Amino acid sequence: MMIGLACFSALPVLADDVKTPVDSVIVRDIEEVVVISTPKENQNLRQQTLSSTSFSQIEMRSKGVTSIKDVSAMVPNLYIPTYGSKLTTATYIRGIGSRINTPAVGLYVDNIPYINKNAFDFNFSDIERVDVLRGPQGTLYGRNTMGGLIRLYTKSPFHYQGTDLNLSAATYGDFKANVTHYHRISEKFAFSGGFFYDRQGGFFKNTYNNKKVDDGDEFGARVRAIYLPGDNTKLDFTLSYEHLNQGAYPYEEVGLATDIYNQGEKKGTIAYNREGSYKRNLLNAGLNLEHQANNFIFSSITGFQFLKDDMNMDQDYTAEDIFTLRQKQNGKSLTQEFVFKSDPNTTSPWHWTTGISGFYEWLKTDAPVTFWGDGIKTIIEDHVNSVFERLKDQNPRMPTMALDVTDNSFLINGLFDTPTLNTALYHQSTFDITKKLSFTIGARLEYEKTWIDYNSAANLTFDFLMPDFERVPAMKPMLDGLKGIQIDPGFVGKLHKDTWQLLPKFALKYDFNERNNVYASVSKGYRAGGYNIQTFSDLIQSKMSSDMTAAINERSGGRMEQMGGGAFTPREVNYDVEGTISYKPETSWNYELGAHLTNAKQTLQADFAVFYVQTKDQQIAQFAPSGLGRLIVNKDESTSYGAEASLKAQLTDAFSVNANYGYTYAKFEGTSVLSSSMDSKKYYVPFVPKHTFTLGGQYVIALREGSFLDDITLNANYTGQGRIYWTLDNNASQKFYGTLNGQVGFRKGDINLDVWIHNALDSDYTAFYFESRGIGFRQRINPLQVGVNLRCRF
């Protein structure tokens, strides 16, 4: 198949808003509709030995999908909660996922990998197709795809011509606009360019200052150019830029959740005194080169990403002025991959893919934590003074002692340079044993090196008070010397770690015919390890305590060592920085049976899979002991098993339905994840819904020729998921819930007007829950919203 011809092989249904095929009532496979070049696979998705879901831009519009977080409403066993900010894209598949640090589900856009999940939640205005691959994709795609892979593709300027204008307005002050022009200059060159603007008025109000918490705006542009220098060669260049300025973190205080069945029904109040925000500048560039030789296809994929962001967070989420976090990141990543694969149209019984890949990521993080007045008192002064009170109780003859911090604020600086180098070599072969039976075997050898150059320090000024001796003249010189004491606890150093991983895959497939098959597969995936930079706040607090006692004893000329009964005796403390901040890679084995089925009339398409996953050294996000941020820890093992099913049916020319169901039973197997009082039980893995469910339908009313409108389209989609446990000890959860979305579309030629409603039942459930400093917080789902979209093509 010639690359030049492939670029023009779009079917008639590629027209942007064609609703009903004129030839027959069939369910069209998206790969028959949206032609996409994938550099690694030799077969269409439903012919591969994996569980997957694909959908087009038309399907995304009908279901209200405008971001990656909306994709989970269309895919079984995929969960991407909407909370926090666009910095946070927690993605879970089959009990495997990630809230912070490295992702467990990978993301590729136009074949370019996104290394940092801070960039996952971007604008979807030009996305043409979405593929979600479930289960480890480590053999072909490597690190951080142990849960699965999401692939996104933008529109090709060879397939689409003209100018698209999209305008949207909705309640709560939302407004969107984007315009993209697609132009084919010749049979060898085509380009597209577009601009978008998105204004969000915000759903939730901070009662402390009576301002919206989650308002914001973003704008950006995307350019794509495709050049065909010869019949067998293609160059595909993409460039995008986005600027985001977002209010964030509408967390309401609800108290600790002791009754797991009521967590989704608790009401709370958003009230914190320092505003949260997230700002991001994101640039992505990619170059795909593809050349078809006589018996194989060669691809070179080069990607570059620049991300600069700035997060401000009131980290106590209350009206008290306790502490805040500001995190600024400056990251750049360069990726390169060379792929050789056999010609998909070959008659040979051997189909193969071989590749070498690598990337280097530069990441600098500036993450200071600032304690304000209430935080200095409750976290520093009250903590230290409670120790003095206990000493006094144990020894009544000891003088009364107190700490008084004289600084108005207390800053813990954190400068971290954490580059990562990764390289891998992989091969996968599929052998056609017979015309119907095939066997796949593959392996990937991957090496990763991670560094951290850290500089975290603080400076605190305090007075050490001894009120019992204030009127004793002989003690005045010593008491004066115990005022204005300064300490500067800190940690400066460098660490690095090396990791090797072997990621095999074995699969067996039997084809009943071209559209029906069953398969069995075994594959391994892994999620990279790393370093917890937020743990330095806890290390600083620990060192601050020892530095305080040493400084007090030194200022007193050693007298406090005698008077304090050993409490001020100098002690040398060795801090295990590496053991404290480091966490190991997470690995999993996935065992799967599945089927891809289509009936003889092609009116019904069904996909089924059952799976069993064993995960070791599972990475779990939790708050640091001090409450100063989140960190990753490794927890023994977990197992998950379940099933997923997807159905699409074209019942008539006008009426189609679709349904998805996923079931995941994911529990921990070890005991170190739990406290000693819980060792006799097993606990569910947090953030993993046991059930995911979607049921949707579309009905197209075709009007008579000459009517004011060409057709009217009715869409309805119901999505449910739950129960979801939020904490390690399973004391808080969200029971199963559902939301209903609907849309009515009116079309006249190239003009489309859609009136839509999201969360039509105005369901109120918890999108995210966590506990910090003994307080429970949650973020609610967005309330009922109504809007209108206008789309025109010129």
Side-chain angles (χ1 to χ4, degrees):
M1 179 176 61
M2 308 293 279
I3 291 177
L5 294 177
C7 288
F8 298 101
S9 62
L11 298 176
V13 292
L14 276 174
D16 196 15
D17 284 286
V18 171
K19 299 294 194 300
T20 57
V22 296
D23 51 355
S24 61
V25 183
I26 64 172
V27 174
R28 291 193 176 274
D29 193 324
I30 188 174
E31 291 176 298
E32 299 174 348
V33 178
V34 181
V35 180
I36 292 295
S37 175
T38 56
K40 299 181 182 182
E41 289 80 9
N42 296 91
Q43 297 175 311
N44 290 343
L45 272 176
R46 298 188 73 248
Q47 295 173 331
Q48 296 178 38
T49 55
L50 54 84
S51 180
S52 63
T53 301
S54 297
F55 43 90
S56 67
Q57 186 179 61
I58 294 176
E59 293 176 284
M60 285 189 283
R61 285 173 177 166
S62 66
K63 294 176 174 61
V65 176
T66 60
S67 73
I68 194 171
K69 293 177 179 178
D70 298 327
V71 170
S72 60
M74 303 177 67
V75 180
N77 281 331
L78 171 66
Y79 179 57
I80 310 177
T82 300
Y83 71 93
S85 69
K86 288 198 172 187
L87 168 72
T88 307
T89 307
T91 308
Y92 292 78
I93 294 179
R94 296 181 174 179
I96 295 172
S98 166
R99 281 176 53 200
I100 62 173
N101 294 13
T102 53
V105 177
L107 176 69
Y108 277 61
V109 181
D110 288 330
N111 300 319
I112 306 298
Y114 279 32
I115 304 301
N116 193 325
K117 71 183 183 69
N118 293 7
F120 277 22
D121 193 358
F122 64 92
N123 184 270
F124 260 43
S125 61
D126 200 34
I127 298 299
E128 177 184 32
R129 170 176 157 181
V130 178
D131 296 338
V132 180
L133 286 59
R134 295 182 290 278
Q137 307 301 317
T139 304
L140 291 182
Y141 292 93
R143 73 195 291 269
N144 300 343
T145 61
M146 64 179 293
L149 177 69
I150 300 174
R151 301 188 309 204
L152 308 176
Y153 300 96
T154 59
K155 286 184 178 181
S156 167
F158 269 111
H159 293 165
Y160 296 88
Q161 300 300 305
T163 302
D164 286 352
L165 174 66
N166 296 272
L167 301 173
S168 176
T171 54
Y172 291 95
D174 284 8
F175 174 77
K176 298 180 181 179
N178 67 78
V179 58
T180 305
H181 179 70
Y182 306 89
H183 189 68
R184 187 173 67 201
I185 294 178
S186 68
E187 293 186 354
K188 290 185 176 293
F189 183 76
F191 73 93
S192 63
F195 174 84
F196 74 88
Y197 175 77
D198 186 353
R199 171 62 190 172
Q200 296 178 329
F203 294 99
F204 305 106
K205 183 175 291 187
N206 184 350
T207 59
Y208 183 88
N209 57 17
N210 205 34
K211 295 181 180 180
K212 288 292 181 68
V213 180
D214 54 336
D215 61 342
D217 61 324
E218 60 180 322
F219 63 86
R222 180 178 287 122
V223 175
R224 184 175 182 183
I226 300 177
Y227 175 55
L228 308 176
D231 290 339
N232 296 338
T233 304
K234 179 176 71 172
L235 289 169
D236 189 346
F237 173 74
T238 57
L239 177 67
S240 65
Y241 169 77
E242 296 186 15
H243 174 78
L244 169 71
N245 187 356
Q246 178 187 23
Y249 315 108
Y251 300 148
E252 59 184 42
E253 184 177 346
V254 294
L256 289 178
T258 56
D259 181 355
I260 63 173
Y261 296 101
N262 290 330
Q263 179 53 38
E265 301 167 3
K266 287 195 172 184
K267 307 295 181 182
T269 301
I270 302 172
Y272 48 85
N273 63 306
R274 294 187 180 269
E275 295 185 14
S277 64
Y278 180 60
K279 299 178 181 179
R280 183 182 70 189
N281 288 283
L282 175 65
L283 182 143
N284 289 284
L287 177 63
N288 287 262
L289 182 152
E290 185 174 313
H291 177 75
Q292 182 167 341
N294 291 332
N295 298 310
F296 67 90
I297 297 176
F298 167 73
S299 298
S300 170
I301 307 103
T302 306
F304 175 77
Q305 183 175 93
F306 170 76
L307 184 149
K308 186 176 183 180
D309 65 4
D310 187 352
M311 176 191 71
N312 282 282
M313 180 185 291
D314 186 338
Q315 207 164 355
D316 58 87
Y317 317 107
T318 67
E320 296 183 272
D321 207 12
I322 298 179
F323 58 102
T324 58
L325 169 66
R326 184 175 188 182
Q327 176 180 282
K328 294 190 290 184
Q329 295 182 113
N330 189 323
K332 295 175 285 290
S333 63
L334 180 64
T335 63
Q336 178 62 55
E337 188 161 13
F338 300 107
V339 185
F340 297 84
K341 72 175 181 180
S342 59
D343 188 336
N345 296 320
T346 182
T347 57
S348 169
W350 179 33
H351 314 277
W352 52 269
T353 300
T354 295
I356 183 171
S357 67
F359 77 82
Y360 190 86
E361 181 184 31
W362 299 262
L363 181 60
K364 295 181 182 290
T365 306
D366 182 4
V369 176
T370 304
F371 291 84
W372 302 99
D374 295 332
I376 290 175
K377 180 180 186 305
T378 58
I379 296 180
I380 300 178
E381 291 180 343
D382 289 354
H383 172 72
V384 173
N385 290 334
S386 67
V387 175
F388 292 154
E389 290 174 3
R390 287 197 299 271
L391 292 174
K392 178 73 172 177
D393 292 339
Q394 295 169 5
N395 184 3
R397 300 182 61 184
M398 182 179 295
T400 301
M401 297 172 289
L403 177 77
D404 180 25
V405 176
T406 57
D407 294 325
N408 295 323
S409 62
F410 170 57
L411 179 70
I412 300 179
N413 282 312
L415 296 173
F416 308 99
D417 189 2
T418 53
T420 301
L421 171 68
N422 178 283
T423 186
L425 177 67
Y426 60 89
H427 177 84
Q428 182 170 295
S429 286
T430 298
F431 301 94
D432 295 333
I433 301 172
T434 69
K435 289 184 178 181
K436 293 188 175 183
L437 184 65
S438 62
F439 175 67
T440 298
I441 183 171
R444 182 187 191 96
L445 181 62
E446 185 156 306
Y447 168 75
E448 181 157 311
K449 187 179 186 70
T450 305
W451 296 264
I452 181 170
D453 186 343
Y454 57 89
N455 185 344
S456 182
N459 187 284
L460 182 70
T461 304
F462 65 93
D463 295 341
F464 182 69
L465 307 177
M466 301 179 70
D468 295 345
F469 297 141
E470 287 291 337
R471 297 185 180 181
V472 180
M475 298 295 293
K476 190 175 187 306
M478 187 188 79
L479 296 180
D480 290 340
L482 293 176
K483 294 181 179 179
I485 301 176
Q486 286 189 340
I487 57 172
D488 54 354
F491 294 90
V492 179
K494 297 181 180 181
L495 296 170
H496 67 86
K497 61 171 64 178
D498 302 86
T499 304
W500 288 92
Q501 288 288 337
L502 180 64
L503 305 172
K505 178 178 180 176
F506 310 93
L508 196 65
K509 186 183 69 163
Y510 183 83
D511 291 296
F512 298 103
N513 53 46
E514 184 181 359
R515 295 181 179 273
N516 294 273
N517 60 71
V518 294
Y519 68 88
S521 68
V522 179
S523 55
K524 182 184 178 183
Y526 96 101
R527 179 185 173 200
Y531 298 104
N532 290 301
I533 62 174
Q534 292 190 22
T535 310
F536 279 94
S537 294
D538 288 316
L539 287 169
I540 291 292
Q541 284 199 82
S542 177
K543 193 171 190 304
M544 183 173 64
S545 177
S546 61
D547 286 2
M548 277 182 177
T549 56
I552 292 171
N553 188 58
E554 181 182 356
R555 283 289 194 97
S556 69
R559 297 179 65 180
M560 288 307 305
E561 183 178 353
Q562 302 172 0
M563 300 173 61
F568 295 92
T569 301
R571 296 180 178 86
E572 184 175 344
V573 181
N574 293 319
Y575 294 92
D576 181 12
V577 175
E578 183 171 14
T580 303
I581 70 172
S582 179
Y583 59 91
K584 297 182 293 184
E586 175 184 355
T587 60
S588 70
W589 281 95
N590 184 89
Y591 306 87
E592 184 173 333
L593 296 171
H596 306 295
L597 306 173
T598 303
N599 68 343
K601 294 183 179 180
Q602 298 184 41
T603 57
L604 176 64
Q605 188 181 91
D607 298 285
F608 302 97
V610 293
F611 59 88
Y612 177 78
V613 183
Q614 290 180 310
T615 305
K616 291 187 177 181
D617 296 318
Q618 184 151 5
Q619 297 175 13
I620 297 294
Q622 65 182 37
F623 274 86
S626 64
L628 302 181
R630 298 166 296 175
L631 55 89
I632 290 287
V633 295
N634 293 102
K635 299 297 187 183
D636 284 344
E637 301 179 8
S638 72
T639 60
S640 64
Y641 59 83
E644 48 211 23
S646 298
L647 299 172
K648 291 183 179 180
Q650 189 72 41
L651 302 181
T652 69
D653 279 330
F655 185 41
S656 62
V657 296
N658 65 86
N660 296 301
Y661 173 72
Y663 172 78
T664 300
Y665 185 89
K667 281 197 171 184
F668 292 111
E669 292 296 326
T671 57
S672 69
V673 67
L674 309 170
S675 65
S676 58
S677 63
M678 305 175 188
D679 288 348
S680 61
K681 301 179 181 180
K682 294 182 179 179
Y683 283 78
Y684 291 98
V685 177
F687 277 77
V688 178
K690 183 175 284 189
H691 304 277
T692 58
F693 174 72
T694 302
L695 178 62
Q698 181 183 85
Y699 189 81
V700 181
I701 304 172
L703 302 179
R704 291 179 298 178
E705 187 175 351
S707 300
F708 178 72
L709 297 173
D710 292 337
D711 56 55
I712 300 173
T713 303
L714 308 177
N715 281 286
N717 185 63
Y718 179 83
T719 300
Q721 47 198 353
R723 174 175 300 268
I724 305 168
Y725 291 90
W726 303 116
T727 57
L728 285 175
D729 55 8
N730 291 178
N731 72 324
S733 70
Q734 169 62 57
K735 63 184 180 181
F736 186 88
Y737 62 85
T739 57
L740 177 64
N741 299 330
Q743 180 176 289
V744 180
F746 306 91
R747 185 173 70 91
K748 179 64 175 179
D750 291 327
I751 300 176
N752 295 265
L753 180 68
D754 300 324
V755 180
W756 53 264
I757 183 170
H758 291 168
N759 192 10
L761 304 178
D762 201 21
S763 301
D764 182 17
Y765 67 84
T766 298
F768 177 53
Y769 172 85
F770 64 97
E771 296 174 356
S772 176
R773 299 173 47 252
I775 305 173
F777 300 90
R778 76 156 180 163
Q779 179 170 337
R780 291 187 288 133
I781 181 182
N782 294 342
L784 182 152
Q785 187 180 29
V786 178
V788 59
N789 297 338
L790 175 65
R791 305 194 312 276
C792 304
R793 169 166 289 183
F794 306 100

